[in-house]
Structure formats: C-alpha cells, structure tokens
Amino acid sequence: MIRKFLLCLCIISIFLGYVAQKVNLVRLSYEIDHKEKIYREFLEEQKHLRFKVAYLKSPKRLDAMMEAAKINFQLPREIRIVKLMPQDIEPSQKLSSGTTEEGFGNWLNWIKEAQAKTTRS
Amino acid sequence: MEIGSIGLKRLKQKQPAVKSSPFRYLPRPVNSAVSPNRIRLLTYLIFGLFALIAFQLVILAWIRQDELAGIAKRQHNLVIEIQPKRGLIYDSNLKELATSLRVPSIYAVPRLMGNKERFIVAKQLSQILGLNYSDLVKRFSKKKSFVWLKRRVKDEQGEAVKKLKNPNVGVVPEYKRFYPNTSLMANLMGFCGIDNNGLEGLELKFDSYLKGKTGYRYTKRDAMGREIVAMEEKLIPAVNGYHLVLTIDQYIQYLTEKELNAACTQWNAKGGMAIVMNPNDGAILSMASWPTYDPNHLKDYPSANRRNRAITDFFEPGSIFKIVTVTGALNEGAVHIEDKFDCMHGIWQIGRRTLHDVHPYGILDLQEVLIKSSNIGTVKVAARLGAQKLYYYIKQFGFGAISGIELPGEVVGIVRPPSQWSGTSMASIPYGQEVAATAIQCLSALNVIANGGTYYKPHILNKIIDDKGIEIVTTKLGVKKNIVKPEVAASMRRILERVVEEGTGKTSQIEGIPVAGKTGTAQKILPTGGYSHSNFVASFIGFAPVDKPLVSMIVVLDDPHPSYYGGTVAGPVFKKVIEQALLYKGYRPQNTIQTKKTVQKSRHE
C-alpha cells in the first residue's frame, strides 16, 4: 500500500515538475521579451542622440552661431610653421640607440630587461 | 431458516436469461423497487450519450482535423515581420549624412467604433494631428478594420494620441529618414518616400543596398496575444541595409554650397552649380546645386529645386571648351607653343558667319590665344587640327557620353558627329558653341590636364560597408589612360596658370597658391533661335596647386546679372572655396614661413 502511494506521489511530482518547468519557461519568455524591448528602446535613444550630435556639429549651424555671436574668424594671411628641435640631453643620460641594458642577473644572459630605445638628439 | 442463507440461496439460483438481451449477464438486483425496464432505459440512454460523445470525438479529431488544426495554428502561431534598418550614408570622414529614426504612425479601427464615438474621436484627432475633421468622419464611417490616419508624425503627436487611451486608435512605430545637416548635399543624397524607399539621388541609386531584407520569426502567442519567446520555431533574421561611405567631404561641401549660394544671390542668377574633385582619381569632394531644398521638409520647397544640376543640366560651355581644342591640337602636333595666329583685330568674316572677339587682338601666340580667350585664334587652331581630329578629342575628353557617375538622371549633353556639322560648325564648336555639356563632363575633362594625361571616371561612392564595417563593395577606378601626352598636359597647365596670372581669370588668384584655370562666358540660346546678347552662362574651371594639383573645381552660374562674365561672378567662388579647402587639407602655401626653435626636453620624458 505504502509502495503504491509512494509511486503515485512520484508520478504526480514528475508531472507537477514538468508543468512547473513549462510555466517557468513561459514566464522567462515574457521577461526576455521585456528586456529585449528595453534594449531596443535604448538603441533607438542612442540613434536619436547620435542624430542630435550630428545636427549640433553641422557646419551650417556652427557657422550661423558664429555669425550670430559675431565671432569673425578670418583665414590666416601668413602661415608660420615652427619646428621644435629637442635640446641635446646630458652625457650621463645618453644611451646609444638600439641597445638594451642588461638587468639583474647579469651572468644569466638570458635574463635581460627590455629598455625603451632612446635616440641621440 | 436463516435470512443470510436464504439470500445466498436465491443469489445462487439462476435467473431466467433473456436470450437476446445484452444485459443478460449483468447481476440483477434482488427484490429491487426499480423496475427492470427503467434500468434498461437508463442504460440505453447512458450508452447512447457515450455513443454521441464518441461520434463527436470522431468528427472533431478525424473528420474536421485539418480545419480545426488550422484554426488552432492561426490562433497560436505568430509570424513577426522583422523590419530591417535602412543603411546610413556617411561622408569620407564617416560623419553621418543620413539616418533612420523611429517615429510614431497613427492608425484607427473604424469597424469597432460606435456612431457617437466616431465624431468625438474625429474631433480629438483633428486637433492633435492637424487633419480635416469632416474627412476623418468620412473615413471612420467606412467601417474598415484598419486605416492609416497619419504616418510618421512627431513624437509629441504620438504621445498625445496614446494619452487618449482609445482602444480603436493605435500608434505603431515606423522608421523615417532624417538628414542632420538639413539642406547640405540634399540634391546629391535625394530623399525617401513614405515607405522608406529611395526616390531621388543616392537614396534611389543605392536603394537595393540601403533597404536591407525583411526577416521573419515564426513563434507562438498566448491567449493575450503576447509572444512566447521560448516557443520560437524558426527565425529568418533580417538583414539590415548596408551603409554608403562617400568620397564627399562634409566641410568642403559646406564651403562650396555657402559660396555658391552667396554668389547666386549676389548676382541674381537663375541657378548655379559647383563641383570640387580630386583630379588624381576622379573622386568627388563636393557637388552643389542652387537653389536647393531641405529633405526633412520636402513639401516646403518646389520640386524644381530637387534636381542635381551638376549632372542634369547641360549648357554650352563657351570659352572653357577652348581647352579641349588647344590641347588636342598640341597633342597632335598640329600647332606648337610658339606658333602665331592672326586674330584679325577682333572681327573675322567666314562665309555667312562673322566671328567676334571681346577685344580686338592682332597677332597672338598659342598661349595668348587662351590667355586672352580669343575666339578667332581658337577657330584658327581648330582649322589646323581638322574636324575629325577635333571630334575625336571631344569624345576622348568624355563629352557626348555619360560620365558613369553613380547618380540617377545624368544627361549625355549634345555632341553631333562631323557628318551632321554645318558649314559654320568649325567656326563655333572650337570655342564651345553648338555643343552642350554638363558640369561633371567639363570638370572630368579638365582633370586630364591636371593629372598629366589620364581620364578618370568621376565617382562619388568610396565603398559600401555593413554594420560591422566589413567592405561589401569597393569602388574601382575607371581609367582611360594616355588621353594626352604628359608633356602636353604640363604645357597646358602652364598656359592655364598664365590665364589666371595675366588673363581673364585674375579674380581666382590665391595668395601663395599657384592656380590654373579658364573663364567662360557663353551666350544662352533664345527660345526663338539664335544667341542672346543679354543672357549668359558664366563659368570658371580650374585646379590648384599647379605643379601637383590636389583639387579641381568648376563653378557655373545660369544667367547672372548685372555682371555676367565668368571671371567676375564665378572666379571669386573658386578662389574662396579652393583656398579654404587646401588649407583644410593641410596644404602649405608658398608664402609659409618656416623656422626652427630649440626647446629643452622635459625630465619626465
């Protein structure tokens, strides 16, 4: 008797479990759908904002703003190019280009530290 | 005798069986108050009912199986159309020129509206959407199950309709094309229709790439009509439209449109067009038409503003066509740089035709014929070249044929073969009369001289990419090599530089940047025939810098007045655009002062 009862209980549990799984599946589907809608909304908002940025950066609009603010930019009549030449560094700091310093463990040739190359000015 | 034993005894007694009765083996109640007939009747009824149920089951599960399964499918199955996103259009620096945004569209279900409700809803919607009240009432009275009221409206209007909370009026999102730069490049890009299909310009030409492919999702829905994502059966994903990357530079386009607009307004022109190109590969950097329109507000502009004049309008090129004549003659060796031509002091009678120059010139060398733009000198150069050769070079330079640019509506122009020339054609065609060309044809021809002798097919499309930036289509350069010899092209560049320095093109001089070009002032043809003496097409065509040209440009103004000379009205447009464009591209003018300065390096470096 008890065995039969337990058997029935098992069968019923299995069926209940199956039904619960299906219900959870459907509930999860609704949640996924909801999240997807939110994601699509965010994508659309991003597109709207990118459009707004493109509009705000449009040359016509910027020019009109400069004109309204009376910012009278002129084309340069004289163009100067100044080449900046870095000064020679001190001898103690000099490193010949292309060499690497040997780091700790000098006697272990396979241990070397990579150093950034410096070029002589 | 005991009762139990009596009952048992009687039970054991066999009852007389009714042979034909199906119930003969059923135990019969002993001493029952209910008559056997009633029991029999009840049994028949129950069996009959079960038979009916079985019959109905057979009908439902077998005979009507297909019909009912179909109904169930329609109720539970859901096919969702996945709309593809229309591709974007970018300039050469990947700045967005056209995009699609979701906007609300309003629909109604008149069939479900009551008689009184119709009038109330019509009044509300006419206020929100700006529609005619009586039109709405008429549409609601037709009892259709779905009608569009207004598509692609403003977000505020969509919100206002939603607030009505009327179950018979709905809002559905649809995509609409927007152009963030308003009228910039409008004639080039075109616009889309109500169903987001391209109707003009690039939107039309590349519609098949931009629109993408609709997808479908086969899934199930619940009793409330909601999709059950987990029960999706099949998915055919939508293919979003591809994106166009143009050769156009947004900033150079803006410069071109701004200066063209200013010139057309200043000189009261009927129309204008301008193109800037890279002469070394035929890439179009800008293409402007005037008047133009704002594709975001299409209905506010006349339809005539929509055409792309640079490819749809042809005109008699006038003096800028002399470049073709002189280049052809030089290339053939029919003339040399040092050759002299008698320009008959400005008047030359050829048969019934009298040729005039703007100023009376005497003897001019070949360079001076172009610098001073002598019609008579050019006709004499053409006479040495010959009609057949002249026609050959006209065709080689791309006139009389479409350039093949990736835009719809391009016209061929007018170039008749020598067999159809009249006796005076050789006195007209050499300086740009009796031929008609588009602006793109003229500039593409000039590029041959600018780049040293190669004809490049003009193109506006750089590449087509997908959402991930993978190139789908890359433009291949259309090249027709060796139109003219490099040394002839170099000579022509020098001559055209002198046109700007000494001749009619002085207004296009740019300080520190050597410029080459040619002015054109062509008489317009009267409707009654003959040439007008008061209506002209003014043009300037040129490139810079002369030694290694980076940009070339043509400017054309239709019927400017009071002044109509190409040098006066079109030359300044060229100067302003090219000067700014070259600086923008990083070109250093010749008057750049270069110095060196020593600075101490920081310890932190």
Side-chain angles (χ1 to χ4, degrees):
Chain A
M1 245 340 248
I2 294 172
R3 270 189 207 169
K4 283 180 188 172
F5 176 73
L6 284 172
L7 187 66
C8 284
L9 205 63
C10 276
I11 292 168
I12 290 167
S13 304
I14 289 167
F15 278 121
L16 280 175
Y18 174 77
V19 170
Q21 186 193 50
K22 285 289 178 192
V23 167
N24 270 335
L25 204 65
V26 173
R27 202 173 286 150
L28 206 63
S29 303
Y30 293 145
E31 217 175 293
I32 291 169
D33 196 40
H34 179 65
K35 294 270 189 256
E36 275 185 354
K37 275 190 186 135
I38 294 172
Y39 172 68
R40 279 196 294 270
E41 291 298 320
F42 277 129
L43 277 180
E44 278 306 314
E45 200 181 322
Q46 189 204 32
K47 277 177 96 177
H48 273 272
L49 290 171
R50 275 169 58 182
F51 169 79
K52 206 164 181 181
V53 166
Y55 168 70
L56 290 170
K57 283 165 85 171
S58 74
K60 197 175 177 183
R61 186 180 165 277
L62 292 173
D63 216 24
M65 280 177 68
M66 284 199 298
E67 215 173 294
K70 292 179 184 166
I71 302 170
N72 198 16
F73 282 132
Q74 301 288 333
L75 272 178
R77 286 293 141 223
E78 187 183 85
I79 294 173
R80 287 171 179 269
I81 293 176
V82 180
K83 258 191 171 175
L84 298 175
M85 317 292 287
Q87 198 179 36
D88 280 351
I89 51 177
E90 288 169 18
S92 59
Q93 291 173 344
K94 277 186 190 170
L95 285 172
S96 56
S97 63
T99 59
T100 53
E101 258 191 0
E102 290 183 358
F104 178 73
N106 188 23
W107 54 277
L108 291 171
N109 287 329
W110 54 275
I111 297 175
K112 282 192 172 106
E113 282 179 359
Q115 294 286 324
K117 286 183 184 176
T118 57
T119 53
R120 295 184 68 171
S121 55
Chain B
M1 207 175 196
E2 289 176 7
I3 296 169
S5 60
I6 291 169
L8 198 62
K9 203 176 177 181
R10 284 201 178 160
L11 269 176
K12 283 183 180 175
Q13 281 173 355
K14 276 191 183 172
Q15 298 292 328
V18 177
K19 282 179 190 173
S20 59
S21 168
F23 309 113
R24 57 185 181 274
Y25 296 111
L26 288 173
R28 294 183 184 203
V30 179
N31 289 334
S32 171
V34 180
S35 90
N37 287 334
R38 283 188 186 175
I39 292 169
R40 211 172 285 133
L41 183 65
L42 194 63
T43 314
Y44 286 146
L45 268 171
I46 290 169
F47 270 101
L49 275 168
F50 272 106
L52 259 173
I53 290 168
F55 175 68
Q56 189 65 6
L57 272 171
V58 166
I59 289 187
L60 289 175
W62 188 23
I63 295 169
R64 289 183 67 196
Q65 180 195 41
D66 292 335
E67 180 200 337
L68 293 171
I71 294 172
K73 262 188 189 170
R74 279 195 296 277
Q75 283 176 347
H76 301 140
N77 285 4
L78 183 62
V79 179
I80 296 175
E81 206 175 85
I82 307 167
Q83 287 295 330
K85 289 175 196 164
R86 192 172 175 85
L88 276 59
I89 303 178
Y90 295 102
D91 82 335
S92 56
N93 299 311
L94 294 178
K95 290 182 185 163
E96 278 183 21
L97 304 175
T99 187
S100 293
L101 300 174
R102 219 168 53 178
V103 293
S105 291
I106 318 297
Y107 70 91
V109 187
R111 189 167 56 86
L112 300 176
M113 283 185 195
N115 278 329
K116 281 185 187 172
E117 191 191 350
R118 261 190 289 148
F119 298 98
I120 299 167
V121 169
K123 191 174 181 187
Q124 288 170 331
L125 291 176
S126 66
Q127 282 168 355
I128 295 169
L129 301 175
L131 296 172
N132 185 274
Y133 168 76
S134 41
D135 280 345
L136 280 173
V137 169
K138 246 190 229 173
R139 291 171 80 182
F140 291 161
S141 62
K142 281 182 184 169
K143 297 295 178 190
K144 285 189 178 176
S145 57
F146 182 92
V147 285
W148 283 117
L149 297 180
K150 200 170 183 184
R151 295 179 73 175
R152 298 184 173 91
V153 301
K154 294 178 189 167
D155 287 337
E156 308 86 63
Q157 289 173 318
E159 289 303 316
V161 170
K162 278 183 189 170
K163 276 183 188 164
L164 295 176
K165 289 189 182 168
N166 189 319
N168 301 322
V169 177
V171 178
V172 66
E174 286 191 304
Y175 280 98
K176 185 180 174 184
R177 205 67 161 159
F178 285 96
Y179 304 90
N181 293 294
T182 60
S183 61
L184 195 74
M185 277 178 268
N187 302 84
L188 200 58
M189 286 203 292
F191 54 90
C192 289
I194 195 72
D195 289 317
N196 247 7
N197 292 329
L199 295 180
E200 276 268 6
L202 289 166
E203 297 275 19
L204 171 63
K205 185 74 179 180
F206 293 100
D207 193 48
S208 57
Y209 287 100
L210 289 167
K211 68 180 176 190
K213 239 179 179 179
T214 308
Y216 297 95
R217 190 161 70 233
Y218 298 88
T219 182
K220 299 242 185 265
R221 62 179 155 194
D222 61 9
M224 303 274 283
R226 295 174 297 186
E227 184 196 349
I228 305 171
V229 174
M231 291 191 181
E232 182 185 287
E233 287 176 348
K234 189 176 166 187
L235 172 69
I236 302 170
V239 178
N240 287 334
Y242 298 128
H243 312 299
L244 306 184
V245 180
L246 307 180
T247 56
I248 297 281
D249 187 301
Q250 188 193 52
Y251 181 63
I252 297 177
Q253 178 75 26
Y254 169 66
L255 289 174
T256 309
E257 288 197 14
K258 180 182 165 189
E259 298 304 335
L260 182 67
N261 179 36
C264 289
T265 308
Q266 181 188 1
W267 300 110
N268 306 300
K270 281 185 184 164
M273 58 198 103
I275 309 173
V276 178
M277 278 175 81
N278 180 345
N280 302 302
D281 60 7
I284 308 253
L285 302 176
S286 75
M287 185 183 271
S289 291
W290 189 89
T292 184
Y293 66 102
D294 181 358
N296 295 311
H297 305 282
L298 211 53
K299 291 173 189 170
D300 298 345
Y301 299 85
S303 55
N305 288 19
R306 295 180 202 164
R307 72 178 194 270
N308 186 353
R309 289 168 184 257
I311 59 166
T312 61
D313 287 14
F314 55 76
F315 54 96
E316 287 198 339
S319 295
I320 60 176
F321 201 75
K322 290 172 184 167
I323 299 172
V324 176
T325 308
V326 173
T327 307
L330 269 176
N331 203 51
E332 287 295 311
V335 297
H336 301 93
I337 292 286
E338 57 278 358
D339 286 355
K340 307 268 187 233
F341 299 89
D342 182 3
C343 295
M344 317 296 281
H345 295 285
I347 301 174
W348 187 29
Q349 186 81 28
I350 310 175
R352 288 177 298 163
R353 182 86 194 271
T354 307
L355 291 184
H356 295 273
D357 279 343
V358 175
H359 298 289
Y361 303 116
I363 306 292
L364 298 174
D365 66 25
L366 183 69
Q367 295 185 71
E368 286 169 332
V369 165
L370 263 185
I371 291 166
K372 297 188 191 301
S373 202
S374 165
N375 296 338
I376 296 169
T378 309
V379 169
K380 290 194 172 184
V381 168
R384 291 202 198 175
L385 178 61
Q388 294 296 332
K389 282 287 177 187
L390 177 63
Y391 179 73
Y392 167 77
Y393 277 99
I394 291 172
K395 296 297 277 182
Q396 282 288 93
F397 273 99
F399 295 99
I402 55 166
S403 66
I405 190 170
E406 313 95 322
L407 289 165
E410 188 184 6
V411 297
V412 168
I414 300 172
V415 173
R416 290 176 292 121
S419 56
Q420 293 177 22
W421 292 5
S422 68
T424 54
S425 293
M426 276 298 280
S428 303
I429 291 173
Y431 59 89
Q433 287 189 344
E434 277 191 40
V435 291
T438 59
I440 191 73
Q441 286 171 338
C442 293
L443 190 58
S444 300
L446 182 73
N447 287 342
V448 173
I449 292 166
N451 65 41
T454 305
Y455 179 89
Y456 286 101
K457 182 184 129 180
H459 62 276
I460 204 156
L461 180 74
N462 186 355
K463 55 187 172 183
I464 298 178
I465 57 175
D466 67 1
D467 277 337
K468 294 192 170 102
I470 296 168
E471 285 183 22
I472 307 295
V473 171
T474 308
T475 299
K476 287 180 190 159
L477 296 181
V479 177
K480 203 166 34 174
K481 283 192 175 163
N482 302 324
I483 304 294
V484 296
K485 296 168 202 162
E487 52 271 22
V488 169
S491 299
M492 285 303 299
R493 287 199 294 273
R494 295 282 156 256
I495 297 174
L496 293 175
E497 187 180 3
R498 286 186 64 190
V499 169
V500 173
E501 282 173 0
E502 305 164 25
T504 55
K506 284 179 188 157
T507 53
S508 57
Q509 287 174 2
I510 303 172
E511 195 181 328
I513 302 174
V515 172
K518 184 75 188 73
T519 57
T521 309
Q523 292 169 287
K524 289 184 74 170
I525 297 174
L526 291 165
T528 49
Y531 285 99
S532 167
H533 293 286
S534 56
N535 304 101
F536 295 84
V537 173
S539 56
F540 183 88
I541 196 168
F543 53 86
V546 175
D547 292 326
K548 285 183 183 176
L550 293 174
V551 287
S552 61
M553 183 177 187
I554 182 170
V555 182
V556 181
L557 271 71
D558 181 12
D559 198 12
H561 51 274
S563 184
Y564 48 79
Y565 292 104
T568 309
V569 305
V573 177
F574 174 94
K575 172 196 158 75
K576 286 173 191 168
V577 173
I578 295 298
E579 186 178 23
Q580 294 180 78
L582 284 174
L583 289 176
Y584 164 73
K585 286 177 91 61
Y587 175 75
R588 286 185 231 160
Q590 286 173 348
N591 58 353
T592 301
I593 300 164
Q594 294 204 42
T595 54
K596 289 184 182 178
K597 190 177 176 184
T598 307
V599 290
Q600 212 171 27
K601 268 180 78 172
S602 163
R603 281 180 179 261
H604 296 292
E605 285 176 16

